[in-house]
Amino acid sequence: MKSGFHLRGGKLLLSYNQLMTYSRGVFFRLTDNQLASWQQELEFVNSLSGLNHVELWIENTNLNQEHFNWLNSHLSNYAKIIHAPFIGFQPASFNSPLRQAATEVLNTTVAIGQKINAQLITVHLGSFLSYDSPPSAISRIES
């Protein structure tokens, strides 16, 4: 699995080492962990032709092996990309406990990606104040 960040010694390290490639895909909403709602998403996805990938929008990272088995079984015809949680997600926060919680969510998201053989994980690193610099925000994320 390729990603725009890596874990080393329990720390999240950011990097941009991806070459841009394009394929035809669609969002697959996994905003809950209810297989019945996933089945509805699957029916919509399967109604579309010419798709190469699904981008799994995960807001709820409380998934178990049953969920991973379902995803691997039902989405085996598609490359899988994960869209990491982003609602209320602030890894560049000045508040250390919020940064730590965001790192835990990213660690869990990476683990989910490994279990379903995701090719890529999209991560939005939140917002930062206008007087703050991007290098400063990235430094907080890496700390």
Side-chain angles (χ1 to χ4, degrees), residues 34-41:
Q34 304 301 310
L35 296 180
S37 65
W38 295 11
Q39 187 63 40
Q40 290 177 331
E41 288 289 313

Side-chain angles (χ1 to χ4, degrees), residues 45 95 103:
V45 168
N95 186 322
T103 299

Side-chain angles (χ1 to χ4, degrees), residues 78-91:
Y78 306 102
K80 291 179 281 300
I81 297 171
I82 290 180
H83 194 289
F86 64 92
I87 297 174
F89 188 70
Q90 290 296 332

Side-chain angles (χ1 to χ4, degrees), residues 12 14 91-93 99 103 106 125 136-143:
L12 184 65
L14 303 175
S93 173
R99 283 196 316 275
T103 299
L106 287 178
L125 296 178
S136 175
I138 290 171
S139 176
R140 282 193 307 282
I141 293 168
E142 292 178 331
S143 67

Side-chain angles (χ1 to χ4, degrees), residues 6-110:
H6 307 280
L7 298 174
R8 184 183 305 149
K11 285 195 171 188
L12 184 65
L13 304 176
L14 303 175
S15 65
Y16 187 78
N17 60 359
Q18 294 299 115
L19 296 175
M20 291 186 63
T21 58
Y22 299 92
S23 72
R24 178 176 280 211
V26 65
F27 259 140
F28 192 108
R29 292 176 297 207
L30 299 179
T31 53
D32 61 34
N33 59 5
Q34 304 301 310
L35 296 180
S37 65
W38 295 11
Q39 187 63 40
Q40 290 177 331
E41 288 289 313
L42 180 65
E43 290 169 11
F44 171 72
V45 168
N46 286 337
S47 74
L48 303 172
S49 61
L51 294 179
N52 303 106
H53 74 268
V54 291
E55 185 164 355
L56 304 168
W57 172 23
I58 298 176
E59 281 298 328
N60 179 355
T61 58
N62 187 22
L63 305 179
N64 61 38
Q65 192 60 49
E66 179 183 14
H67 297 110
F68 305 136
N69 291 344
W70 191 96
L71 291 167
N72 285 324
S73 171
H74 290 85
L75 299 176
S76 62
N77 293 331
Y78 306 102
K80 291 179 281 300
I81 297 171
I82 290 180
H83 194 289
F86 64 92
I87 297 174
F89 188 70
Q90 290 296 332
S93 173
F94 287 101
N95 186 322
S96 180
L98 290 178
R99 283 196 316 275
Q100 290 171 347
T103 299
E104 288 177 26
V105 168
L106 287 178
N107 289 341
T108 301
T109 302
V110 169

